């Protein structure tokens, strides 16, 4: 928001519509890396209609905006974000439909979603037990782990397109690929989705979930703030990016408080006062060294959000 007039008109709209918001909102607490300065404004819509109304307003008045789910794959700038952050955390209702499918809103935690499915005796989401983040973020990223991927379970996605028009997309409309979806290439907001699951013995489902959660804990994934893997795997070379970084002998390399995790070279951990600047610098160094040694370019998995979107 470039001047006080813009800010006044936004706050007038938000107060009139009674949509929850916070000005000058620190972003670090909303991210798993615990990094990021303040956003000019954060809005917290509690219903789909509030979200749609707010999104229409932002588009019409050309406000810079960005969508925040669980913040587990995001790197906000140290300066913060000049614009409006649309936080989906309050959009978290969930329903069972036709006994084997679940309809949930984008802000629902995927870890809790796996719990919910298990208590209903619905299998298929065990892979997501322990995965940080929201359902919206998991669809956007096409999150995958432990042999599962969100795209495999989706029947339809509800989406607000770039005109804030509600659309229902089929899995093929979503163009899911490895850590990729149409949502990464088109402006819009994922509202939620419907997932197809299969009836199974709840105890068996629970055992699988426990194994996956235990595996993450035993690898120290939650011991320090991070955003999981920084780089996607490059299937051309066929060696996981973490292993490639390991071959550079860079485990434990540190720039100020950001360290390449000795337990997993594709995780950059924040040892306290790490900054976005430190992370971006370390990413740049890895890019250069990997290019030099393997003649390939790694692609980042984490999403960096600059202070000013162009
Ligand atoms: C310890 C740890 C382990 C992890 N392990 C894995 C793993 O095994 N596999 C894996 O795939 N990932 C992993 N991740 C990364 C992360 O958990 C996933 O990418 C997750 O799906 C991101 O969801 P989120 O809600 O946190 O998204 P955010 O970080 O909030 O956002 C990520 C992107 O999605 C967009 N977005 C979010 N919600 C919406 C929406 N409703 N509409 C439109 N766009 C939206 C944001 O604008 C942003 O561009 C890990 C992260 C951590 C911290």
């Amino acid at each position: 928001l470039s001047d006080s007039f813009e800010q006044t008109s936004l706050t007038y709209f938000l107060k009139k519509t009674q949509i929850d918001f916070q000005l000058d909102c620190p972003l670090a607490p909303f991210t798993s890396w615990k990094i990021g300065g303040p956003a000019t404004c954060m809005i917290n819509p509690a219903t789909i209609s509030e979200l749609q109304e707010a999104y229409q307003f932002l588009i019409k008045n050309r406000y810079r905006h960005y969508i925040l789910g669980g913040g587990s794959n995001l790197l906000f700038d140290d300066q913060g974000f000049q614009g409006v952050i649309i936080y989906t955390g309050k959009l978290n209702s969930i329903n069972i439909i036709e006994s084997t499918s679940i309809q949930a809103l984008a802000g629902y935690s995927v870890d809790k979603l796996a719990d919910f499915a298990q208590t209903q005796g619905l299998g298929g989401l065990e892979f997501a037990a322990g995965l940080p983040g929201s359902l919206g973020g998991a669809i956007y990223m096409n999150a995958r782990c432990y042999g599962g991927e969100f795209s495999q379970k989706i029947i339809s996605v509800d989406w607000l397109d770039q005109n804030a028009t509600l659309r229902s997309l089929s899995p093929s409309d979503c163009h899911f690929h490895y850590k990729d979806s149409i949502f990464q290439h088109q402006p819009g907001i994922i509202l939620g989705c419907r997932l197809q699951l299969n009836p199974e013995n709840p105890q068996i489902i629970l055992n699988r979930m426990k194994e996956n959660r235990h595996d993450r804990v035993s690898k120290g994934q939650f011991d320090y703030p991070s955003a999981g893997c920084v780089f996607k795997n490059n299937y051309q070379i066929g060696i996981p990016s973490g292993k490639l970084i390991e071959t550079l002998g860079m485990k434990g390399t540190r720039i100020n408080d950001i360290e390449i995790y000795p337990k997993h070279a594709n995780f950059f951990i924040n040892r306290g006062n790490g900054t976005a600047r430190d992370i971006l610098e370390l990413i740049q160094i890895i890019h250069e060294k990997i290019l030099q040694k393997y003649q390939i370019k790694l692609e980042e998995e984490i999403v960096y959000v600059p202070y000013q979107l162009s």
Side-chain angles (χ1 to χ4, degrees):
L1 311 186
S2 53
D3 60 33
S4 62
F5 172 74
E6 277 188 44
Q7 199 157 316
T8 312
S9 108
L10 176 70
T11 50
Y12 177 76
F13 163 79
L14 291 168
K15 281 181 183 158
K16 192 181 72 179
T17 50
Q18 298 189 323
I19 296 172
D20 182 40
F21 72 98
Q22 190 186 336
L23 296 177
D24 202 24
C25 178
L27 291 169
F30 289 89
T31 72
S32 55
W33 243 328
K34 304 295 168 219
I35 287 174
T40 316
C41 179
M42 180 185 286
I43 62 170
N44 309 302
T47 62
I48 295 292
S49 60
E50 279 191 1
L51 174 62
Q52 193 169 16
E53 200 178 354
Y55 193 41
Q56 269 160 356
F57 177 87
L58 297 176
I59 295 168
K60 187 168 159 237
N61 296 288
R62 295 171 183 267
Y63 282 95
R64 282 196 197 103
H65 56 272
Y66 198 81
I67 300 133
L68 167 66
S72 63
N73 209 42
L74 276 178
L75 179 61
F76 283 118
D77 197 83
D78 299 315
Q79 263 191 285
F81 181 70
Q82 193 187 42
V84 180
I85 294 290
I86 304 168
Y87 178 54
T88 62
K90 284 190 175 178
L91 299 167
N92 55 16
S93 73
I94 192 160
N95 292 299
I96 299 268
I97 295 174
E98 291 162 8
S99 73
T100 57
S101 88
I102 287 181
Q103 175 113 40
L105 291 188
Y108 209 87
S109 131
V110 290
D111 184 47
K112 292 207 173 97
L113 183 63
D115 280 334
F116 178 84
Q118 185 274 331
T119 56
Q120 304 295 318
L122 293 174
L125 285 178
E126 297 88 320
F127 75 93
L131 176 71
S134 69
L135 181 58
I139 298 169
Y140 181 96
M141 300 303 300
N142 191 16
R144 49 161 28 219
C145 48
Y146 299 102
E149 182 175 283
F150 268 84
S151 63
Q152 297 162 343
K153 303 294 160 198
I154 285 171
I155 311 174
S156 61
V157 175
D158 291 329
W159 184 60
L160 289 181
D161 69 12
Q162 56 198 356
N163 303 313
T165 305
L166 178 63
R167 293 176 56 190
S168 175
L169 305 185
S170 70
S172 69
D173 293 334
C174 298
H175 296 277
F176 287 119
H177 297 289
Y178 167 68
K179 301 255 165 132
D180 196 12
S181 71
I182 187 123
F183 310 108
Q184 297 179 22
H185 308 282
Q186 239 167 252
I189 305 181
I190 298 161
L191 300 177
C193 74
R194 194 162 156 184
L195 301 154
Q196 185 61 53
L197 302 173
N198 42 293
E200 259 197 275
N201 178 319
Q203 191 54 50
I204 295 175
I205 302 173
L206 188 61
N207 292 345
R208 284 192 217 120
M209 286 170 46
K210 275 187 182 160
E211 263 178 47
N212 294 342
R213 286 188 173 129
H214 174 75
D215 188 64
R216 285 185 187 274
V217 171
S218 71
K219 289 178 174 156
Q221 289 198 4
F222 305 116
D223 292 354
Y224 296 94
S226 82
C229 289
V230 171
F231 298 99
K232 294 182 183 178
N233 289 326
N234 182 317
Y235 282 99
Q236 249 176 302
I237 194 155
I239 303 168
S241 295
K243 293 278 171 222
L244 288 181
I245 299 168
E246 222 176 301
T247 65
L248 302 174
M250 290 193 68
K251 273 185 166 180
T253 302
R254 208 165 153 162
I255 296 186
N256 301 320
D257 265 0
I258 296 297
E259 182 181 292
I260 299 183
Y261 198 18
K263 289 186 178 176
H264 189 326
N266 205 2
F267 276 43
F268 293 4
I269 57 168
N270 180 357
R271 286 205 170 263
N273 295 313
T275 63
R277 196 191 173 133
D278 299 335
I279 291 173
L280 294 173
E281 201 176 315
L282 206 44
I283 287 176
Q284 196 48 39
I285 293 172
I286 302 270
H287 272 311
E288 281 162 18
K289 288 190 183 272
I290 291 282
L291 193 61
Q292 218 172 35
K293 184 158 180 173
Y294 296 102
Q295 290 78 51
I296 58 160
K297 187 167 179 349
L298 289 184
E299 197 185 331
E300 284 141 47
E301 177 171 336
I302 57 109
V303 184
Y304 167 63
V305 186
Y307 175 63
Q308 279 187 328
L309 284 182
S310 48

